[in-house]
Coordinates of all heavy atoms in Angstrom, one line a residue:
F1 N 22.8 5.0 14.5 CA 22.3 4.9 15.8 C 23.5 4.8 16.8 O 23.9 3.7 17.1 CB 21.3 3.8 16.0 CG 20.3 4.0 17.0 CD1 19.1 4.6 16.5 CD2 20.3 3.6 18.2 CE1 18.0 4.8 17.5 CE2 19.3 4.0 19.2 CZ 18.2 4.5 18.7
G2 N 24.2 6.1 16.9 CA 25.4 5.9 17.6 C 26.4 5.2 16.7 O 26.6 5.7 15.5
D3 N 27.0 4.2 17.3 CA 28.1 3.5 16.5 C 27.5 2.4 15.8 O 28.1 1.6 15.1 CB 29.1 3.0 17.4 CG 29.9 4.0 18.0 OD1 30.1 5.0 17.5 OD2 30.7 3.7 19.1
E4 N 26.2 2.2 15.9 CA 25.4 1.1 15.2 C 24.5 1.6 14.1 O 24.4 2.9 13.8 CB 24.5 0.4 16.1 CG 25.2 -0.2 17.4 CD 26.2 -1.3 17.2 OE1 26.0 -2.0 16.2 OE2 27.2 -1.3 17.9
I5 N 24.1 0.7 13.3 CA 23.2 0.9 12.1 C 21.8 0.5 12.5 O 21.7 -0.8 12.8 CB 23.7 0.4 10.7 CG1 25.0 0.9 10.3 CG2 22.4 0.6 9.7 CD1 24.9 2.4 10.0
F6 N 20.8 1.2 12.6 CA 19.3 0.8 12.7 C 18.8 0.4 11.4 O 18.5 1.3 10.7 CB 18.7 1.8 13.4 CG 17.2 1.3 14.0 CD1 16.9 0.1 14.2 CD2 16.3 2.5 14.2 CE1 15.7 -0.2 14.7 CE2 15.0 2.0 14.6 CZ 14.8 0.8 14.8
D7 N 18.5 -0.7 11.1 CA 18.3 -1.3 9.7 C 16.8 -1.3 9.5 O 16.1 -2.2 10.2 CB 19.0 -2.5 9.5 CG 18.9 -2.9 8.0 OD1 18.5 -2.1 7.1 OD2 19.2 -4.1 7.7
N8 N 16.3 -0.4 8.7 CA 15.0 -0.4 8.3 C 14.7 -0.3 6.7 O 14.5 0.8 6.3 CB 14.0 0.6 9.1 CG 14.0 0.4 10.6 OD1 13.3 -0.6 11.0 ND2 14.7 1.0 11.2
T9 N 14.8 -1.4 6.0 CA 14.7 -1.4 4.6 C 13.4 -1.1 4.2 O 12.4 -1.3 4.9 CB 15.4 -2.6 4.0 OG1 14.4 -3.7 4.4 CG2 16.7 -2.8 4.5
M10 N 13.1 -0.7 2.9 CA 11.9 -0.6 2.4 C 11.1 -2.0 2.5 O 9.8 -2.0 2.9 CB 11.8 -0.1 0.9 CG 12.4 1.2 0.8 SD 11.5 2.5 1.7 CE 9.9 2.6 0.7
P11 N 11.6 -3.1 2.1 CA 10.9 -4.4 2.3 C 10.5 -4.7 3.7 O 9.4 -5.1 4.1 CB 11.8 -5.5 1.8 CG 12.7 -4.6 0.8 CD 12.7 -3.4 1.3
T12 N 11.3 -4.3 4.6 CA 11.0 -4.3 6.1 C 9.7 -3.5 6.5 O 8.9 -4.1 7.1 CB 12.2 -4.0 7.0 OG1 13.3 -5.0 6.7 CG2 11.8 -4.0 8.6
M13 N 9.8 -2.3 6.2 CA 8.7 -1.4 6.4 C 7.4 -1.9 5.7 O 6.3 -1.7 6.4 CB 9.1 0.0 6.1 CG 10.2 0.6 6.8 SD 10.4 2.4 6.5 CE 11.3 2.3 4.9
R14 N 7.5 -2.3 4.5 CA 6.2 -2.9 3.8 C 5.7 -4.1 4.7 O 4.6 -4.2 4.8 CB 6.5 -3.3 2.5 CG 6.9 -2.1 1.6 CD 6.8 -2.6 0.1 NE 7.5 -1.5 -0.8 CZ 8.8 -1.4 -1.3 NH1 9.6 -2.5 -1.0 NH2 9.1 -0.5 -2.0
A15 N 6.7 -4.9 5.1 CA 6.1 -6.1 5.9 C 5.5 -5.6 7.3 O 4.4 -6.2 7.7 CB 7.2 -7.0 6.2
F16 N 6.2 -4.8 7.9 CA 5.5 -4.1 9.2 C 4.1 -3.4 9.0 O 3.3 -3.6 9.7 CB 6.6 -3.1 9.7 CG 7.6 -3.8 10.5 CD1 8.3 -5.0 9.9 CD2 8.1 -3.3 11.7 CE1 9.3 -5.7 10.6 CE2 9.1 -3.9 12.3 CZ 9.8 -5.0 11.8
G17 N 4.1 -2.7 7.8 CA 2.8 -1.9 7.6 C 1.8 -3.0 7.2 O 0.7 -2.9 7.6
K18 N 2.1 -4.0 6.4 CA 1.1 -5.1 6.1 C 0.6 -5.7 7.3 O -0.6 -6.1 7.5 CB 1.8 -6.1 5.2 CG 0.7 -7.2 4.7 CD 1.5 -8.1 3.6 CE 0.7 -9.2 2.9 NZ 0.2 -10.3 4.0
R19 N 1.6 -6.1 8.3 CA 1.1 -6.7 9.5 C 0.2 -5.9 10.3 O -0.8 -6.2 10.9 CB 2.3 -7.1 10.4 CG 2.0 -7.5 11.8 CD 1.3 -8.9 11.8 NE 2.1 -10.0 11.1 CZ 3.1 -10.5 11.7 NH1 3.4 -10.4 13.0 NH2 3.9 -11.4 11.2
M20 N 0.5 -4.6 10.4 CA -0.4 -3.6 11.2 C -1.8 -3.5 10.5 O -2.7 -3.4 11.2 CB 0.3 -2.3 11.4 CG 1.6 -2.6 12.4 SD 2.3 -0.9 12.9 CE 3.8 -1.7 13.6
I21 N -1.8 -3.4 9.2 CA -3.1 -3.3 8.6 C -3.8 -4.6 8.8 O -5.2 -4.4 9.1 CB -2.8 -3.2 7.0 CG1 -2.3 -1.8 6.7 CG2 -4.1 -3.4 6.2 CD1 -1.9 -1.6 5.1
E22 N -3.3 -5.7 8.6 CA -3.9 -7.0 8.9 C -4.5 -7.1 10.3 O -5.6 -7.7 10.5 CB -3.1 -8.2 8.6 CG -2.8 -8.3 7.1 CD -1.7 -9.3 6.8 OE1 -1.0 -9.9 7.8 OE2 -1.5 -9.8 5.7
N23 N -3.7 -6.6 11.3 CA -4.1 -6.8 12.7 C -4.8 -5.8 13.4 O -5.0 -5.6 14.5 CB -2.6 -7.1 13.6 CG -2.2 -8.5 13.2 OD1 -2.6 -9.2 12.2 ND2 -1.2 -8.9 14.1
G24 N -5.1 -4.5 12.5 CA -5.9 -3.6 12.9 C -5.1 -2.7 14.0 O -5.7 -2.1 15.0
I25 N -3.8 -2.5 13.7 CA -2.9 -1.7 14.8 C -2.7 -0.4 14.2 O -2.3 -0.3 13.0 CB -1.6 -2.5 14.9 CG1 -1.9 -3.9 15.6 CG2 -0.6 -1.8 15.8 CD1 -0.7 -4.8 15.6
K26 N -2.9 0.7 15.1 CA -2.5 2.1 14.6 C -1.0 2.1 14.8 O -0.5 2.1 16.0 CB -3.3 3.0 15.3 CG -3.0 4.5 15.0 CD -3.7 5.4 15.9 CE -3.5 6.9 15.5 NZ -4.0 7.3 14.3
P27 N -0.3 2.5 13.7 CA 1.2 2.8 14.0 C 1.5 4.2 14.7 O 0.7 5.1 14.4 CB 1.7 2.7 12.7 CG 0.7 2.3 11.7 CD -0.5 2.6 12.4
E28 N 2.4 4.2 15.4 CA 3.2 5.5 15.8 C 4.3 5.5 14.8 O 5.3 4.7 15.0 CB 3.5 5.5 17.2 CG 4.3 6.9 17.6 CD 4.4 7.1 19.0 OE1 5.3 6.5 19.6 OE2 3.7 7.9 19.6

């Protein structure tokens, strides 16, 4: 991300997916 690293590991994405499933949130 330019000079930075935008860190989204598989465990992070699983945690985000789990939260959105639990909270009834539609992801973009």
